[in-house]
Amino acid sequence: MNLIKIIFIIIISFYINLNVYAEPVHKNDYDVVGQVTTPTGVIFNPSGTKMYVTGFNVNSGRVAQYSLSVPYSTSSGVSLDANTITEIAAVLKRPQDIKFNSDGSKVLVLSTQSKVGNKDSIAIWSLGTPYDITTISSTKDSEHFLKIDNDPRGFDFNTDGTKMFILKSTTDQIEQYDLTTPFDPSDITLKATLSNPKGDGFHQGLGFSSDGYKMFVIKADRNTDDPDLNIIEEYNLTTPFEITTASKNEKTYNTQTASAGNERIAGITFNFSQGANKFYHLDFDDKKLVREYDLPCAYGIISCMNPTSDGDDVGSIESQSDATKKLIQHTSYPVLNRMEWLRRNKDGVNLTNQNLKLQFSNEILASLSKLFLPTGLTNNDYTSNQTGSKNWSFWSEGTISVGKVGDSLSSSAKNINTSAITIGADKKIDEDRIHGFALRFGNDDIKVGKFGSALDMNSLSLTVYETRPTGDNIFMDVLVGASVIKTDLINNSGSVSTDGKRSGQQVFSSIKFRETFTKEKINFTPNIKLDLGLTTLSDYIEKGAAGLNLRFGRQNIGTIVTSLGSTIDNTININNGVLKPNIKLEYNADISPSSIQVFEYASNGTTYVIDNINNSTHNFNGSFGFDLITDNGLLITSNYERNQNKGGGHTDAFYFSGNLSYRQDETYTLSFDGIQDFNTKLDYKRSVNGFNVTFSSNYKLMSQTPDYGANIEVSSKF
């Protein structure tokens, strides 16, 4: 097995090495010399239909706005909207960069020289129409003055405008500020400083990827016309928009091409809304150009974004694997609990909610009910005194589970919420053997990281089970089952959001041996259990971020979990019934083989592998609960369960079921409606002095938002 794994990894690594990184391809040049003789900054509106170039003519500030007939394309259909000389030139001498606030209602311009005291500043104007410079206010909103002699040449913000970054050429530093008000530099706090060696060039542009994991710095030559000095540097950040976590890529990108001649470069931006598979910079000294490039992948000037370094990406992949493995346990537990309960109640009294009928208006569930439910499972087919092989007992159990797994060096934290309902039917074959089946409808809602990444997994599981003796007081519980899985995935990183849908199939089995030692009314039952499973998740492609979309290959997930534990239960006589408390302790060892997820950028096929997704853990499981059985036929079973991982993280689960023996003047109806939300409805009807009293309640089991109701109806026939 290990040899096969090694060979597979070698093959994958060889394949990755074959994916030689492709450099940017120069696409087009657009001449702006008629509007701005020294262009310094460039940006687009979110849709890519407007382009803005800022700079100056001598000491007069300029912002030129262009309309593009093809979004983000400078090749054709480019026309000048306006050149805002009057407003900008009246305030700023040498604009260096331009940005907008989040809704485009304000434009911010960075300048090395303001006409107020010749100071470096950021000036802000309101726009009558978002992202339309032609509607600029005749007076500036405000102007924030920076420290003298720092010579700022570029600036940027994080997604929500609460952080600002300034590139200062004189001190060769990048400064990070916290802003009290988003996109308002009037009240800022310096949080970090990153030094950038000057060399023979000077800094002339700053930009971030939309998710904040990459930062780019433009360096231009000063006076030597040395083409080797016009380069773009790349920094990788382990925490988005935190320059203290930045590490510089050893490689740089030289913009020199045969068509460019000796150029001095400035400014940098991307086609953000199209997935950042293009980038743009300026030639500010020679040909006065906006230069457009195609990229092999998102932000791939020097290297592609590495999703394996994104904690949310890794966390999402781990969550999918872990959720499918937990599904086996969550499906097995109610069935195993049912068999334990049957052994605790050997007298066979109240094994079923005899007046509980199933109504399946959902087409899928209706088909399953016809296929699997035993013929004649109705109110009139069962009496509490019958114990023959033809008698079926019906049971149900609801589950609510919440948990949290902390972050690691490679993966973000996860918040886990699970809800499910299990319904089953079983019958006695003889005095000691019982077999049956169960259907489980479950939902796992997992939140990953801090930016809204999540997965929503719906599952439908069918389990067949049997419990039988293998010796004196020794029993074997066996179950086999299959599940179908549908998962909706959302991955958010900064302003980039993708979604995807993934299906899966699962087969599983569990075998449990237990021996009961009894003293008076106390039972001590040690046990050993083995869970096995194989899950196959389909391949899928993310949508929503163009060049950032990832294509995931098919994934196989094996599950091997061994458990050693014991249960103690007691029987306590109470007024009008019996109380049976129980305590269970269990040690679980996950020895599953590692799962491998291969994925790539859909835009260029650059391949990545996460090959250690085994989530192998050693954990402890403890639970306590009770069975309450009353003389009038009421049965309540409840358990609280805590699963504590040895390395950190835990889940808490609550199981509950209730049954009431059959009475001719009362009926109960449990129904499931809908395709997606599985609307669960419970009706209670009782005849009182010739009147029919009906109480109804409903709850959407799979809904993301609470949706429930109740009503009472009284009727009679005259």
Side-chain angles (χ1 to χ4, degrees):
M1 181 69 181
N2 291 333
L3 179 61
I4 295 174
K5 184 192 292 186
I6 293 172
I7 294 173
F8 181 80
I9 293 173
I10 292 174
I11 294 172
I12 292 296
S13 302
F14 177 74
Y15 178 75
I16 293 173
N17 291 330
L18 291 179
N19 282 278
V20 180
Y21 176 79
E23 290 191 344
V25 177
H26 178 236
K27 184 72 171 179
N28 187 63
D29 291 330
Y30 184 78
D31 194 340
V32 297
V33 68
Q35 294 80 46
V36 184
T37 58
T38 307
T40 53
V42 59
I43 197 173
F44 294 84
N45 69 341
S47 63
T49 57
K50 299 289 185 183
M51 180 176 69
Y52 316 88
V53 177
T54 188
F56 52 92
N57 294 351
V58 190
N59 285 323
S60 296
R62 297 286 197 279
V63 175
Q65 174 179 299
Y66 304 86
S67 289
L68 283 67
S69 59
V70 179
Y72 293 107
S73 175
T74 63
S75 302
S76 62
V78 181
S79 59
L80 178 67
D81 290 346
N83 191 14
T84 57
I85 299 174
T86 304
E87 291 77 14
I88 303 297
V91 178
L92 305 175
K93 291 183 179 180
R94 297 191 171 213
Q96 298 294 324
D97 205 354
I98 178 175
K99 295 291 183 294
F100 293 91
N101 66 345
S102 57
D103 61 5
S105 61
K106 295 182 182 293
V107 60
L108 297 89
V109 182
L110 172 72
S111 178
T112 53
Q113 292 183 23
S114 169
K115 292 192 175 181
V116 180
N118 205 32
K119 297 179 179 180
D120 303 330
S121 69
I122 298 174
I124 305 174
W125 285 266
S126 292
L127 302 177
T129 302
Y131 299 103
D132 189 351
I133 299 295
T134 65
T135 65
I136 192 170
S137 172
S138 59
T139 58
K140 67 179 187 294
D141 291 6
S142 61
E143 189 172 4
H144 173 67
F145 297 100
L146 306 172
K147 294 181 180 180
I148 300 176
D149 298 328
N150 281 333
D151 197 19
R153 297 300 181 101
F155 77 135
D156 207 350
F157 297 87
N158 68 337
T159 306
D160 62 8
T162 57
K163 295 180 181 181
M164 181 177 70
F165 307 86
I166 296 180
L167 177 67
K168 296 185 175 181
S169 188
T170 300
T171 57
D172 300 302
Q173 293 175 330
I174 302 163
E175 294 180 341
Q176 176 180 325
Y177 295 87
D178 284 350
L179 280 64
T180 303
T181 303
F183 298 99
D184 184 357
S186 61
D187 187 6
I188 59 176
T189 303
L190 179 63
K191 299 298 293 185
T193 300
L194 179 66
S195 296
N196 187 295
K198 181 187 296 184
D200 294 325
F202 68 104
H203 302 85
Q204 194 56 48
L206 175 70
F208 284 82
S209 62
S210 57
D211 62 2
Y213 282 101
K214 280 185 179 289
M215 179 177 70
F216 301 91
V217 176
I218 295 284
K219 280 190 174 181
D221 79 275
R222 290 185 180 272
N223 299 302
T224 62
D225 288 331
D226 186 349
D228 293 331
L229 298 179
N230 291 287
I231 59 174
I232 300 175
E233 297 177 332
E234 177 189 270
Y235 288 81
N236 295 306
L237 286 67
T238 57
T239 301
F241 297 105
E242 287 290 340
I243 63 174
T244 57
T245 68
S247 60
K248 186 178 178 181
N249 196 314
E250 294 182 359
K251 297 181 179 180
T252 61
Y253 179 69
N254 193 307
T255 63
Q256 190 68 33
T257 65
S259 63
N262 292 326
E263 62 177 352
R264 291 192 179 100
I265 62 175
I268 186 170
T269 193
F270 299 85
N271 59 335
F272 293 106
S273 63
Q274 292 183 342
N277 58 4
K278 289 180 177 289
F279 93 98
Y280 312 79
H281 70 79
L282 300 165
D283 176 357
F284 73 90
D285 187 48
D286 186 12
K287 296 184 178 181
K288 327 297 183 185
L289 303 173
V290 177
R291 312 205 72 203
E292 176 186 337
Y293 297 78
D294 287 342
L295 296 175
C297 58
Y299 303 103
I301 300 176
I302 298 170
S303 66
C304 291
M305 296 281 294
N306 186 354
T308 63
S309 63
D310 187 331
D312 286 10
D313 282 340
V314 176
S316 178
I317 293 171
E318 290 181 349
S319 294
Q320 293 179 63
S321 176
D322 192 50
T324 60
K325 296 172 68 175
K326 287 289 193 296
L327 175 61
I328 296 175
Q329 297 182 26
H330 291 165
T331 303
S332 301
Y333 280 162
V335 176
L336 294 171
N337 290 341
R338 168 65 177 176
M339 288 188 281
E340 287 184 8
W341 187 89
L342 290 171
R343 293 298 175 191
R344 291 198 300 267
N345 298 272
K346 297 179 181 180
D347 54 10
V349 177
N350 199 21
L351 295 182
T352 185
N353 188 355
Q354 299 155 9
N355 57 342
L356 187 64
K357 296 185 295 185
L358 291 178
Q359 294 183 347
F360 295 106
S361 55
N362 179 287
E363 294 182 0
I364 298 175
L365 301 183
S367 300
L368 290 172
S369 68
K370 293 178 182 178
L371 182 62
F372 295 110
L373 283 179
T375 303
L377 185 60
T378 64
N379 300 347
N380 300 322
D381 291 334
Y382 191 95
T383 64
S384 61
N385 295 323
Q386 292 175 319
T387 59
S389 62
K390 296 182 179 180
N391 302 314
W392 288 84
S393 300
F394 179 80
W395 62 275
S396 63
E397 184 169 287
T399 308
I400 298 175
S401 175
V402 296
K404 179 178 178 63
V405 178
D407 56 5
S408 65
L409 293 176
S410 60
S411 176
S412 299
K414 310 167 190 69
N415 290 291
I416 307 165
N417 294 280
T418 301
S419 59
I421 185 170
T422 303
I423 56 176
D426 46 42
K427 69 176 180 178
K428 284 188 174 183
I429 301 175
D430 51 42
E431 200 58 35
D432 291 316
R433 288 179 64 194
I434 300 173
H435 68 196
F437 68 90
L439 286 172
R440 179 187 184 271
F441 314 93
N443 173 260
D444 292 83
D445 184 22
I446 303 176
K447 309 297 184 185
V448 182
K450 302 178 181 178
F451 301 103
S453 296
L455 63 93
D456 185 59
M457 187 180 82
N458 293 323
S459 57
L460 173 62
S461 306
L462 172 66
T463 305
V464 180
Y465 59 90
E466 180 172 306
T467 177
R468 63 170 64 191
T470 60
D472 293 339
N473 295 320
I474 301 176
F475 294 91
M476 177 180 68
D477 300 333
V478 180
L479 63 88
V480 295
S483 302
V484 291
I485 303 168
K486 299 290 185 182
T487 306
D488 294 326
L489 298 117
I490 298 174
N491 188 8
N492 289 329
S493 296
S495 63
V496 178
S497 179
T498 63
D499 61 83
K501 295 183 180 296
R502 195 174 202 182
S503 60
Q505 301 82 39
Q506 182 181 85
V507 292
F508 59 90
S509 66
S510 181
I511 183 170
K512 183 176 183 179
F513 289 93
R514 49 194 171 89
E515 182 175 6
T516 300
F517 302 89
T518 303
K519 185 175 182 179
E520 295 181 351
K521 295 183 178 181
I522 298 177
N523 299 314
F524 173 67
T525 307
N527 63 81
I528 185 171
K529 180 166 66 75
L530 176 66
D531 295 322
L532 301 172
L534 177 62
T535 306
T536 299
L537 299 180
S538 67
D539 56 353
Y540 76 101
I541 302 177
E542 294 179 333
K543 298 179 180 180
L548 281 177
N549 291 331
L550 296 171
R551 179 188 291 111
F552 292 82
R554 183 181 296 269
Q555 183 182 2
N556 294 317
I557 304 166
T559 301
I560 304 175
V561 179
T562 60
S563 304
L564 181 66
S566 62
T567 303
I568 299 176
D569 63 86
N570 190 15
T571 300
I572 303 172
N573 293 320
I574 60 175
N575 291 333
N576 301 317
V578 176
L579 180 66
K580 297 185 177 183
N582 62 88
I583 299 175
K584 179 169 59 179
L585 296 174
E586 193 173 71
Y587 169 75
N588 301 302
D590 186 346
I591 56 175
S592 307
S594 295
S595 177
I596 298 175
Q597 178 66 77
V598 180
F599 54 108
E600 63 186 17
Y601 279 108
S603 59
N604 77 323
T606 303
T607 304
Y608 302 89
V609 179
I610 298 180
D611 59 4
N612 59 345
I613 318 172
N614 59 357
N615 293 302
S616 294
T617 56
H618 297 268
N619 56 65
F620 297 91
N621 182 284
S623 71
F624 63 88
F626 64 87
D627 302 333
L628 176 63
I629 304 174
T630 67
D631 295 340
N632 61 5
L634 176 65
L635 165 64
I636 296 177
T637 299
S638 179
N639 280 280
Y640 166 76
E641 181 180 281
R642 176 71 174 244
N643 192 74
Q644 182 69 53
N645 292 341
K646 185 178 180 181
H650 68 272
T651 57
D652 297 292
F654 179 72
Y655 302 88
F656 178 85
S657 63
N659 296 318
L660 187 63
S661 63
Y662 178 70
R663 295 174 57 176
Q664 293 293 334
D665 60 346
E666 296 179 357
T667 61
Y668 301 80
T669 302
L670 178 67
S671 62
F672 296 90
D673 301 325
I675 299 290
Q676 181 177 356
D677 292 332
F678 289 111
N679 184 49
T680 305
K681 186 177 180 181
L682 178 64
D683 294 336
Y684 168 76
K685 297 181 180 180
R686 182 172 183 177
S687 297
V688 180
N689 296 326
F691 290 88
N692 295 320
V693 180
T694 303
F695 174 81
S696 300
S697 65
N698 65 278
Y699 178 71
K700 288 189 176 180
L701 184 67
M702 302 294 188
S703 178
Q704 296 295 313
T705 56
D707 189 355
Y708 48 84
N711 67 281
I712 294 178
E713 179 182 333
V714 179
S715 62
S716 180
K717 292 183 179 180
F718 297 96

